[in-house]
Every structure is written in structure tokens, then in C-alpha cells.
Amino acid sequence: MPNSFVRRTGWTTFVFLLLTLLPLYAAAEQEPPISFDWELAKLETAVSFTSPEDNRERNVTGLAILWLKPDQGWHAYSNQPGGTGMPTQVTATLQPDGDALPSLYPPGTATRDVFEPEKTVNIYKGATPVFIPLEKLPAPGSSIQASIRLLLCSDTSCWPVNITETLSGQNSSQPAPVQAETRAWWPSAAKLLGITKSLSLDQTEFSPSSFSPGLEVKTTAKAALFAFLAGLILNFMPCVLPVITLKLRSFIPAVGTDGKAQARLFRTHNLFFALGMLTYFLILAVIIAVTGMAWGEIFQQPMAVLVLTVIVFALSLSLFGLYDLPIIDLKAGHGTTRSHPHLESLFTGILATVLATPCSGPFLGGVLAWALIQPPVIIATVLTCIGLGMASPYLLMAAFPSLFRFLPRPGDWTVTLERLLGFLLLGTCVYLFALLPSELHISTLVLFWVVGLGAWAWGRWTGPNRPTAHRWAIRGTIMGGIVLACFILFAPAAVEDPWTDFSRAGFEESIGKRNLVVDFTADWCPNCKFLEKTVITATFMNSLQKKHDLQLLRVDLTRKNPVGSDLLKRLGSRSIPVLAIFSKDKPQQPLILRDLFTKNQLKEALVQTLKE
């Protein structure tokens, strides 16, 4: 035997094998305890495969499978045998040309070696396929010749095998090639060929398991208990920043009332605050049961987030004393002068819970995973229990209003606290603002400005010393102005945006061939945004595009844009807005419109440049 084999197996094993094999060599007329079968398969789709032996890339369309079938009680070592043993090797050639074919071996089964138990080896036990990739199936008159070299071992002896097996080309007496992808051995062959099957999300069935199975929910009783605990814990989760401000409101004592009146107000506020929380969860249960929405899915709707952001911004302005709201007023110190104290507490509780919806905590995940796929009655029950858990601290304070005496006495500090809460609400605005798509940021900031102006006018001209008709006329005008601003800023486009993003390649391809209109803009340019909303709107530019056969290019200078900035400089400008009109007949003599302009001026400029 080769020296390498002696070194691999060890001298002790080598001597043992030599003594064992001598009787077998003497009995040369005996057949080795193994048989071989062939199988031919075709692939549904050709596969590119690079053989590690010769680094040759092959376009594989079929497979020849050589089955190694050791007799009962015998095994062969795999091609990568491990700590000891002789590797199984199959050297295949395509006859009569003699072209070498690669062989792909399965990894084998790891086990302790029979003769050296301290070593782990990989073996082939039972029927084992060796895959031979083919660029084309063997035709009549050709064959695949495989020289097989392996070592068979039992518990007591080993038998070296060196044999040649042949697979003849296809003929009428042979069965047709099987479809490889339908065979049980295909996953193993696909892995050896480097084929990775991607999973279809629509067709794949998953069997998830939980890291914390004790928190998983399977019954309504357990769901109700965990839901209550989850709602209670939501009050203390640090992620509930938007709610902290509104919760602190319930602890601000009213100024100018005696102890009993304060306790009564304290109880009433907490009752209606808790009722607001429960009301929200009941409404949410109906919505989820009817629409199938997921927990917190409302925050996937940009318009819903925008509405909440504006509401929180308006509430924060009220805490800075800019104005007073008639229904929801978060400021302390009003005592019994409030016109709608119950509605205020109710709506404050609803708003607090809406803002807490995106948060999660212990128990909640497992509860919702089970509950939201149950019938509507169970969904309503579980969500109500979450609401009860979240409202329980306030219900407890309402049940024991004497707790009010542990609150600090009213004074000037409440004004300071209001201002602090105002800043916390502004922080909430930042959080909600970050959830909005970037394309809505400029419009949202403009809306904040409009709301701020409206809040100032509300506080300035709608005080209690004004006549009722005057107050509500001003308030109606303010609300109408905010609604109009929302329509202008966020109304969906009626037509498709006609502008194309500027690129050097696109510009060079079109100049001199098309009439071009190039608009230089940026998100930080208010005049640019004003023009986009009032002059170069999608509807107006679409009509001009059809009339003059224009190609509209938009150069965005919001971020660094060397090509766009260079073109702007070459057009004699260093500031924006700028709109350039390039005639296809005189592309080197563009007409420039700077700063603000009107629709009529743009029409005249096009007529002047294009001379149509």
C-alpha cells in the first residue's frame, strides 16, 4: 500500500489490516461484499458548475448516478474519511473520447472508527449515490466508464475494492432518464452542484417556535390575564414618551379650590381619563375585527401620523400659554372654571392611549399574536383587558381620592411644570415627525407654521372678554385657514409628475434633439417650493409639455450635486430658483428665468425661445 495510507491509518492498524486482508487476497475468486447500480437523470434547467478538480466550467444538463451498495454489515469510507481510513474515489470518463468527468460525493455519516475508536470517521453505510455531472446525456455508442477505488470494512475485517463499472449510452432497451428534481436524492445533488433554492413566501409553510414558550398564549383566560398585565406595564415603559406628558396632567392639582373639591376633581379626572383609555381600546377592537389591522398599524399611515403630530404640536403651544382650547386643555390652574372638564379628561385619555399604541412590552407580543387571529368577541375581550390594565392605576386613584393629599400643594411651580410638559410634547412632535416620509417634511413644517400662527391669533382675539359671535367667527376663520393649508400642502396630485430626475447622460442624450426645460431646485429653497406649488405644477407643466413637445428635467441641489451645480454655474447662476429653456434648434442659447415668475411669464418665455 502507498506510504500515505500507512501514515493515515497508523502502523498498528496497518499490520492488523495486512493480516486481515491476506486471506482475502488468497480468495481472489470471491466477489467483494458490495454491488453497483447506475441511474441516469436529466435536469429541468441547465446548471452552470465549475469542477474543483480541473476548474472547468460546465453547463450541466444531466446526472449519472453511481450507486454504491455495501452488503449488510459492511461500510465504505467517504471521499473525505476523516481521522483514518481510505477515501472512496470514483474516476469517471466519457468513452470513446476519454474526456474526464467530475465526481461529486455526499459527505457520509460521522461515527467512531471500528479499529481506532478514538478517531472519528465519515462512512458510507447502505446505498449511497455518487453524482457525475454531464453536459449531455450519453448517446448510443458512447458510455461512461467509472474506476472505483474504496475500502470496505466490517466489524472484524476490511476488503479493498478496485473495480471498473460502465454505463452504456441510451438505447431502446434502457429506461428513459428520470427527472432529477423529482428524486429523493435531488436535495443532496443540488447542494453539491451549488444550487440554492430560494423559498417562496407565498408557498412556504413556517413552523416557528418561541424562545419563551411560557409567555405564549393558547387560551382566553391566559390571554386576558397577560393582557391586563401588559396594559399595566405599558404605563411604565420608557418608550411611552408621548404619553408621559398627558399622564402627568392628572397629577397637577387645581388652583383655587379647597381640599374636598380638589379630591372630587381628582377622582372625576381619573375616572374619565381611564374611561377614555377603555373607549379607545373598544374602538380599536372593532376596527381590528372588521379590517384585520395589526397592532400599531395606524402608525404605518402617513396621514394618521401627520394628524397626530399636528395635534400634539397644537397641545404643546397651549402649554406655553399661547392660547386655550375649549375641549382639551392640558394646563392646570383652571379649577372649576372649565366648561367641559369631563370631556377634557375623556379626550385626553383617548389621545394618550393613541400615542401609546406603537409601544410594546412584556406579555403583549404573545397576547396579540394569539388574540388577533381569534373571533371578534375574543379580540374585543383581550383588548378590553389591555385597556383595563393600562387604566388600572387611574381607576385605583379614583377609588381612593384621599391619595390626593400626597400631592404637592398648588403654587407657581405648576406653571413651570406646564412649560416642562410643553417641551416634552415638543419632543413627542420630533418623534412623530421622524415617522413621516421625508417627502412630507417640508409641507409638515409649513403646516406647523400655519398652526402656530393660528394658535397665536386664537389666543389673541378669542378671549372670554370678546363677544361669543366674534370669538367663534375668529376660530372658524383659523380652522378654515388650517384646513385650506392642509389641502394645498397635502392634496394628492391629480396627474402624474412630468419631471424626470436630471443626469449627465440623459441631458447629453437629449440636448439638441428635444426642447428641454431644466428646473434647479432644493428642499431648503422656499421660493423653489413656492413655485412648485403655484406655477410649475404637474397639471400646468403637463399641458405645456404636450403643446411644445418638451422634456422636463429637474436638478435637485438638496444634497451635493457636482454635475448639477456645474451646469448652474455655466448658465451664469449661483443661486436658485432657476429655470432654463433649451431649444433643440439653438441649444447653446438657453433662456433663463430666475427667482419668482408667473405662469404667463413662463408661457411667453417658451414662445420666445421656441418661436412657435
Side-chain angles (χ1 to χ4, degrees), residues 463-496:
N465 58 331
R466 303 277 182 171
T468 302
H470 174 87
R471 290 201 308 267
W472 285 106
I474 296 295
R475 290 172 179 175
T477 302
I478 293 171
M479 295 304 298
I482 293 175
V483 171
L484 179 62
C486 290
F487 178 79
I488 295 174
L489 293 170
F490 301 103
V495 295
E496 185 179 355

Side-chain angles (χ1 to χ4, degrees), residues 213-232 281 295 362-375 377-389:
L215 297 180
E216 294 300 300
V217 173
K218 300 297 182 184
T219 64
T220 304
K222 188 174 182 180
L225 174 62
F226 280 9
F228 182 87
L229 294 175
L232 176 63
F281 276 104
W295 176 264
F363 306 109
L364 191 58
V367 167
L368 295 176
W370 177 83
L372 296 185
I373 59 174
Q374 303 303 316
V377 174
I378 295 181
I379 294 177
T381 300
V382 171
L383 290 180
T384 301
C385 288
I386 297 175
L388 282 171

Side-chain angles (χ1 to χ4, degrees), residues 43-97:
L43 302 184
E44 185 176 4
T45 304
V47 175
S48 178
F49 171 73
T50 301
S51 171
E53 292 93 350
D54 55 12
N55 202 32
R56 172 186 164 188
E57 185 175 348
R58 292 175 167 83
N59 191 39
V60 178
T61 63
L63 292 171
I65 301 91
L66 176 64
W67 286 94
L68 314 179
K69 298 182 177 181
D71 290 355
Q72 182 70 28
W74 292 82
H75 68 265
Y77 293 93
S78 73
N79 181 254
Q80 299 291 330
T84 186
M86 187 175 77
T88 294
Q89 294 180 339
V90 176
T91 304
T93 58
L94 184 63
Q95 299 298 330
D97 300 330

Side-chain angles (χ1 to χ4, degrees), residues 409-461:
R409 295 177 61 83
D412 292 340
W413 66 270
T414 58
V415 177
T416 302
L417 181 58
E418 286 174 7
R419 303 298 185 262
L420 176 61
L421 298 186
F423 281 109
L424 286 176
L425 275 186
L426 287 177
T428 300
C429 288
V430 175
Y431 162 72
L432 293 172
F433 183 82
L435 301 180
L436 293 170
S438 58
E439 59 267 21
L440 295 181
H441 284 175
I442 297 297
S443 298
T444 303
L445 291 175
V446 173
L447 182 60
F448 281 173
W449 181 87
V450 173
V451 170
L453 178 63
W456 173 80
W458 187 299
R460 179 76 174 177
W461 294 312

Side-chain angles (χ1 to χ4, degrees), residues 213-435:
L215 297 180
E216 294 300 300
V217 173
K218 300 297 182 184
T219 64
T220 304
K222 188 174 182 180
L225 174 62
F226 280 9
F228 182 87
L229 294 175
L232 176 63
I233 294 173
L234 272 180
N235 286 283
F236 309 101
M237 292 296 292
C239 67
V240 192
L241 174 63
V243 187
I244 291 177
T245 300
L246 301 178
K247 287 179 180 177
L248 287 175
R249 166 66 188 86
S250 65
F251 295 100
I252 299 177
V255 178
T257 55
D258 58 31
K260 291 184 179 180
Q262 287 180 332
R264 185 175 64 255
L265 289 173
F266 183 70
R267 166 184 280 172
T268 303
H269 171 81
N270 283 288
L271 275 176
F272 279 89
F273 190 85
L275 180 60
M277 290 182 166
L278 291 172
T279 300
Y280 171 77
F281 276 104
L282 289 174
I283 295 173
L284 184 64
V286 174
I287 294 174
I288 289 177
V290 173
T291 66
M293 290 176 60
W295 176 264
E297 195 169 334
I298 185 177
F299 287 86
Q300 295 176 357
Q301 310 298 324
M303 287 300 105
V305 177
L306 176 64
V307 170
L308 287 176
T309 306
V310 173
I311 290 175
V312 174
F313 179 71
L315 291 175
S316 70
L317 295 181
S318 75
L319 286 172
F320 288 104
L322 198 61
Y323 72 116
D324 296 329
L325 287 171
I327 298 297
I328 302 179
D329 192 353
L330 302 182
K331 298 192 299 302
H334 291 276
T336 58
T337 62
R338 295 174 182 170
S339 56
H340 304 284
H342 297 167
L343 283 178
E344 176 190 323
S345 300
L346 178 72
F347 281 107
T348 304
I350 292 175
L351 181 60
T353 314
V354 170
L355 295 174
T357 303
C359 297
S360 183
F363 306 109
L364 191 58
V367 167
L368 295 176
W370 177 83
L372 296 185
I373 59 174
Q374 303 303 316
V377 174
I378 295 181
I379 294 177
T381 300
V382 171
L383 290 180
T384 301
C385 288
I386 297 175
L388 282 171
M390 194 170 182
S392 57
Y394 309 100
L395 293 173
L396 179 64
M397 288 185 287
F400 299 97
S402 59
L403 293 173
F404 182 82
R405 68 176 182 271
F406 295 105
L407 296 178
R409 295 177 61 83
D412 292 340
W413 66 270
T414 58
V415 177
T416 302
L417 181 58
E418 286 174 7
R419 303 298 185 262
L420 176 61
L421 298 186
F423 281 109
L424 286 176
L425 275 186
L426 287 177
T428 300
C429 288
V430 175
Y431 162 72
L432 293 172
F433 183 82
L435 301 180

